[in-house]
């Protein structure tokens, strides 16, 4: 459940008691109050609040768990500089990298300020301002590590970074671009509204600068992979944009990532799996060649796709309520599952846990709709595999084949994206002549259903499929699945229990009931 705390009731004394057992991550983020304004660029936040056009706006301040220790100080600074009402959002329903619009709507917030790292997923309901923070980084050491990794000055390199280090990218790029002519830097693209409400923001270098503001607006709206954005060789993905040299492909480049080992790094490595990655960790000041076997990870994901092909009942997990177009991809997945004859159920469970999903043993596989950084779930601890919308499309749509390319952002699957494919409509005659597929897991033929069979609730387990008298197994009903379970719940055993009169039970409290002897030692 979301926690919304008015900042006026969140004094520093309560804050110190509440976070006395904070983790080491929270400790290293702690700053003096005099440095908070510079660290978060609070002047920009205050100016954006003033530009809301509301006399006393309600501002929601969203902090991740590691930065909650600074929330009361930040709220106090903002309220001292501008007439507004601030609310601190804690315990987000989903990942802290996503903007929690649902919690902000509980207090009818006019503006959300998101602090810390972000996935830069696009939102729709409430204007958002991002305050990433300026984490420390040794620029000189980072440049030296970069040069040691790439002695060849003609090497084609893409510079990608975690958003918390965006303040140092201009300095890093200016030091390296004079030596590395083919160095490409990324710029951040999100829907952080500027003073003219034009929904565009850019942080980057001259190399990847998009001089036409309309191009950046297009990227912010689509966030699609390899969209041309009215400029050739412009790539827009995960809220980041970069432009390649004329005639070059993404396979010709290596990637240098600045940031700690995180979901963001894994997400980029999966998306650009044809590129070699190098990473520099500013916390430990170490640079390394990433040895994560992307091919092995892709093989594991392909195994999950085969599991999805064998699944009869699919559970759709809503892993976000703030990312734009999550309902659109939900309807698309439902349409795909209906066409291939699979039953589906939709679940809104908040943060995922094996205990939550274990309550739905009828489900064969789960599909998670979430932001790109939270889409890939290691489902080893779960009883059923969890896959992405891209993987369910490969499993259930013939128009999309497995080529080794991997998509984590579901926006790239929607109409208007370069990676969008039309969902074929299977008619009766078309399915009749289709050759059955063979499962790579069980070695058996997978059933193929016609449109007349889809959606029917039949009690018989075998039905006539076509004129060739090929038999197909219909998905079992919920009652049939319950009959196969070893435990079916509490049994009432009506008429088998002896009827007795009501008797008086225990009285008192659990530490010492009235009928128990008094313990003098306590």
């Amino acid at each position: 459940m979301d926690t919304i705390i008015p900042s006026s009731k969140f004094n520093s004394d309560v804050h110190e008691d509440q976070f006395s057992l904070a983790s080491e991550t929270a400790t290293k983020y702690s700053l003096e109050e005099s440095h908070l304004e510079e660290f978060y660029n609070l002047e920009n936040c205050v100016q954006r609040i003033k530009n809301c056009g509301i006399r006393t706006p309600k501002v929601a301040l969203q902090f991740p768990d590691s930065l909650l220790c600074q929330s009361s100080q930040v709220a106090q600074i903002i309220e001292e500089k501008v007439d507004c009402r601030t609310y601190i959002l804690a315990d987000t329903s989903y990942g802290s990298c996503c903007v929690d619009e649902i919690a902000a709507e509980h207090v009818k917030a006019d503006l959300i300020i998101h602090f810390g790292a972000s996935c830069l997923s696009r939102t729709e309901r409430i204007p958002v301002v991002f305050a990433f923070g300026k984490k420390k980084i040794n620029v000189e050491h980072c440049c030296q590590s970069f040069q040691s990794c790439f002695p060849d000055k003609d090497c084609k390199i893409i510079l990608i970074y975690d958003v918390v280090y965006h303040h140092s990218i201009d300095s890093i790029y200016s030091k390296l671009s004079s030596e590395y002519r083919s160095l490409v830097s990324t710029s951040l693209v999100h829907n952080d509204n500027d003073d003219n409400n034009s929904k565009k923001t850019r942080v980057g270098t001259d190399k990847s600068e998009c001089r036409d503001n309309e191009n950046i607006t297009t990227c912010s709206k689509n966030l699609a992979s390899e969209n041309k954005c009215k400029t050739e060789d412009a790539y827009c993905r995960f809220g980041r944009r970069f432009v390649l040299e004329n005639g070059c492909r993404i396979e010709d480049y290596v990637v240098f990532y600045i940031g700690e080992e995180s979901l963001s790094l894994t997400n980029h490595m999966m998306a650009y799996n044809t590129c070699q990655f190098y990473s520099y960790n500013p916390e430990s000041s170490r640079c390394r060649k990433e040895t994560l076997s992307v091919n092995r990870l892709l093989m594991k994901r392909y195994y999950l796709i085969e599991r999805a092909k064998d699944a009869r009942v699919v559970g759709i997990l809503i892993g976000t309520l703030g990312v734009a177009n999550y309902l659109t991809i939900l309807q698309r997945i439902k349409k795909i599952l209906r066409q291939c004859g699979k039953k589906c159920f939709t679940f809104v469970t908040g943060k995922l846990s094996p205990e939550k999903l274990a309550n739905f043993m009828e489900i064969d596989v789960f599909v998670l709709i979430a932001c790109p950084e939270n889409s890939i779930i290691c489902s080893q601890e779960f009883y059923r595999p969890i896959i992405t919308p891209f993987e369910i499309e490969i499993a259930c749509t013939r128009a999309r084949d497995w080529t080794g390319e991997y998509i984590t952002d579901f926006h790239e699957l929607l109409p208007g994206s370069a990676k969008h494919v039309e969902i074929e409509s299977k008619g009766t005659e078309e399915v009749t002549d289709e050759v059955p597929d063979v499962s790579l897991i069980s070695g058996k033929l997978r059933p193929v259903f016609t449109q007349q069979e889809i959606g029917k609730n039949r009690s018989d387990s075998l039905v006539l499929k076509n004129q060739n008298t090929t038999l197909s197994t219909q998905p079992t009903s919920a009652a049939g699945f319950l009959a196969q379970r070893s435990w079916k719940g509490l049994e009432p055993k009506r008429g088998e229990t002896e009827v007795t009169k009501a008797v008086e039970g225990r009285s008192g409290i659990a530490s010492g009931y009235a009928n128990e002897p008094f313990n003098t030692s306590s």
Side-chain angles (χ1 to χ4, degrees):
M1 184 176 181
D2 301 327
T3 304
I4 304 176
I5 309 174
S7 58
S8 59
K9 296 183 180 180
F10 196 11
N11 56 59
S12 59
D13 295 335
V14 177
H15 154 72
E16 293 177 358
D17 294 338
Q18 183 176 358
F19 296 99
S20 59
L21 299 179
S23 63
E24 295 181 359
T25 305
T27 303
K28 68 182 180 182
Y29 275 106
S30 61
L31 295 172
E32 296 294 337
E33 184 174 350
S34 58
H35 297 163
L36 285 176
E37 293 190 46
E38 180 183 358
F39 183 79
Y40 290 117
N41 193 12
L42 295 183
E43 285 296 334
N44 176 64
C45 299
V46 170
Q47 186 63 37
R48 298 295 296 277
I49 295 174
K50 293 179 179 179
N51 294 339
C52 286
I54 302 175
R55 184 174 181 179
T56 307
K58 295 181 179 179
V59 182
L61 309 179
Q62 180 178 342
F63 291 84
D65 293 342
S66 58
L67 298 180
L68 272 176
C69 54
Q70 303 170 356
S71 58
S72 61
Q73 294 174 315
V74 172
Q76 183 178 0
I77 294 174
I78 292 178
E79 289 189 345
E80 290 176 353
K81 292 181 175 293
V82 62
D83 182 16
C84 66
R85 177 71 170 172
T86 59
Y87 296 84
I88 298 173
L89 306 184
D91 190 21
T92 56
S93 303
Y94 303 98
S96 59
C97 63
C98 300
V99 178
D100 196 351
E101 288 185 313
I102 302 302
E105 286 183 337
H106 290 169
V107 295
K108 299 180 180 180
D110 302 304
L111 181 68
I112 301 176
I113 302 179
H114 184 282
F115 293 87
S118 173
C119 60
L120 299 178
S121 297
R122 188 167 64 91
T123 58
E124 290 182 331
R125 302 184 184 95
I126 305 175
V128 181
V129 176
F130 290 95
F132 305 122
K134 301 178 181 180
K135 293 191 66 176
K136 293 182 179 180
I137 178 174
N138 190 331
V139 176
E140 294 294 336
H141 187 271
C142 179
C143 294
Q144 294 175 3
S145 301
F146 182 94
Q147 294 170 347
S148 62
C149 291
F150 308 106
D152 184 7
K153 306 300 182 180
D154 296 329
C155 182
K156 293 180 173 60
I157 310 168
I158 301 176
L159 183 62
I160 302 179
Y161 52 91
D162 197 340
V163 294
V164 295
Y165 301 105
H166 75 284
H167 61 285
S168 301
I169 297 304
D170 286 338
S171 301
I172 295 175
Y173 179 80
S174 61
K175 292 179 179 295
L176 297 174
S177 59
S178 59
E179 300 181 17
Y180 296 86
R181 300 293 182 178
S182 299
L183 177 61
V184 175
S185 182
T186 56
S187 59
L188 301 186
V189 181
H190 49 82
N191 65 329
D192 183 358
N193 300 330
D194 61 6
D195 297 341
N196 297 324
N197 296 325
S198 58
K199 287 189 176 182
K200 55 182 178 290
T201 291
R202 136 167 231 293
V203 179
T205 62
D206 297 334
K207 187 81 172 182
S208 61
E209 182 177 3
C210 181
R211 301 189 181 278
D212 186 359
N213 291 336
E214 187 178 358
N215 293 342
I216 297 184
T217 305
T218 303
C219 299
S220 177
K221 290 182 179 179
N222 292 334
L223 291 181
S225 171
E226 300 180 9
N227 269 358
K228 295 308 178 184
C229 303
K230 302 182 180 180
T231 303
E232 293 185 356
D233 301 325
Y235 286 69
C236 301
R237 219 171 196 175
F238 315 131
R240 295 167 174 85
R241 182 182 184 278
F242 58 88
V243 181
L244 303 183
E245 294 181 352
N246 293 333
C248 295
R249 301 176 301 172
I250 190 69
E251 294 84 2
D252 301 330
Y253 286 79
V254 295
V255 178
F256 187 81
Y257 182 87
I258 300 177
E260 294 84 8
E261 184 177 355
S262 60
L263 295 176
S264 177
L265 175 58
T266 304
N267 189 37
H268 281 88
M269 294 182 66
M270 290 291 291
Y272 304 115
N273 52 58
T274 58
C275 301
Q276 177 62 56
F277 271 73
Y278 292 81
S279 66
Y280 176 77
N281 188 341
E283 291 291 331
S284 60
S285 298
R286 292 183 179 179
C287 183
R288 69 179 184 182
K289 181 179 180 180
E290 290 297 331
T291 58
L292 172 64
S293 179
V294 178
N295 292 333
R296 185 176 181 181
L297 186 56
L298 289 174
M299 291 174 61
K300 292 181 179 180
R301 304 309 299 186
Y302 185 75
Y303 168 76
L304 298 182
I305 293 175
E306 290 296 318
R307 291 282 300 271
K309 291 181 179 180
D310 294 341
R312 295 181 178 180
V313 185
V314 179
I316 305 176
L317 298 173
I318 304 299
T320 178
L321 296 177
V323 178
N325 298 324
Y326 77 94
L327 291 178
T328 305
I329 191 65
L330 172 62
Q331 297 303 323
R332 178 179 173 86
I333 294 175
K334 287 183 177 180
K335 182 179 180 181
I336 292 174
L337 295 176
R338 284 196 300 266
Q339 289 191 357
C340 64
K342 299 181 185 293
K343 292 185 178 181
C344 64
F345 299 92
T346 305
F347 301 93
V348 182
T349 59
K351 294 181 180 179
L352 301 181
S353 66
E355 293 77 14
K356 288 182 181 179
L357 301 187
N359 294 319
F360 310 104
M361 296 301 296
E362 298 84 355
I363 304 299
D364 297 321
V365 65
F366 290 96
V367 182
L368 176 61
I369 299 177
C371 72
E373 294 188 5
N374 292 311
S375 294
I376 302 178
I377 300 294
C378 182
S379 54
Q380 294 181 351
E381 299 180 355
F382 294 84
Y383 292 93
R384 294 291 185 266
I386 303 175
I387 63 176
T388 64
F390 171 68
E391 292 167 342
I392 198 64
E393 283 201 8
I394 295 179
C396 303
T397 306
R398 293 177 298 173
R400 190 180 293 278
D401 299 325
W402 177 262
T403 61
E405 180 188 29
Y406 199 82
I407 298 175
T408 57
D409 189 354
F410 64 79
H411 289 93
E412 302 180 28
L413 309 177
L414 299 178
S417 171
K419 301 300 180 182
H420 170 73
V421 296
E422 294 293 337
I423 304 175
E424 71 276 10
S425 179
K426 294 182 179 181
T428 305
E429 297 180 357
E430 179 183 358
V431 178
T432 300
D433 299 332
E434 186 177 356
V435 178
D437 190 14
V438 178
S439 172
L440 299 181
I441 297 179
S442 62
K444 300 179 181 179
L445 293 177
R446 295 191 181 100
V448 181
F449 305 106
T450 64
Q451 289 290 348
Q452 288 88 355
E453 293 171 345
I454 297 174
K456 291 186 179 180
N457 185 13
R458 299 186 179 182
S459 58
D460 51 340
S461 58
L462 295 178
V463 294
L464 184 63
K465 174 182 175 289
N466 51 34
Q467 296 178 354
N468 299 327
T469 65
T470 304
L471 294 179
S472 63
T473 305
Q474 278 287 90
T476 58
S477 61
F481 184 87
L482 180 63
Q484 300 175 2
R485 297 183 64 169
S486 59
W487 186 79
K488 306 179 180 60
L490 299 178
E491 300 179 1
K493 294 185 178 181
R494 296 184 180 89
E496 302 179 12
T497 305
E498 182 181 358
V499 179
T500 60
K501 293 184 179 181
V503 297
E504 183 179 358
R506 295 178 178 179
S507 61
I509 59 178
S511 60
Y513 291 106
N515 61 338
E516 293 180 348
F518 181 71
N519 189 358
T520 56
S521 61
S522 60

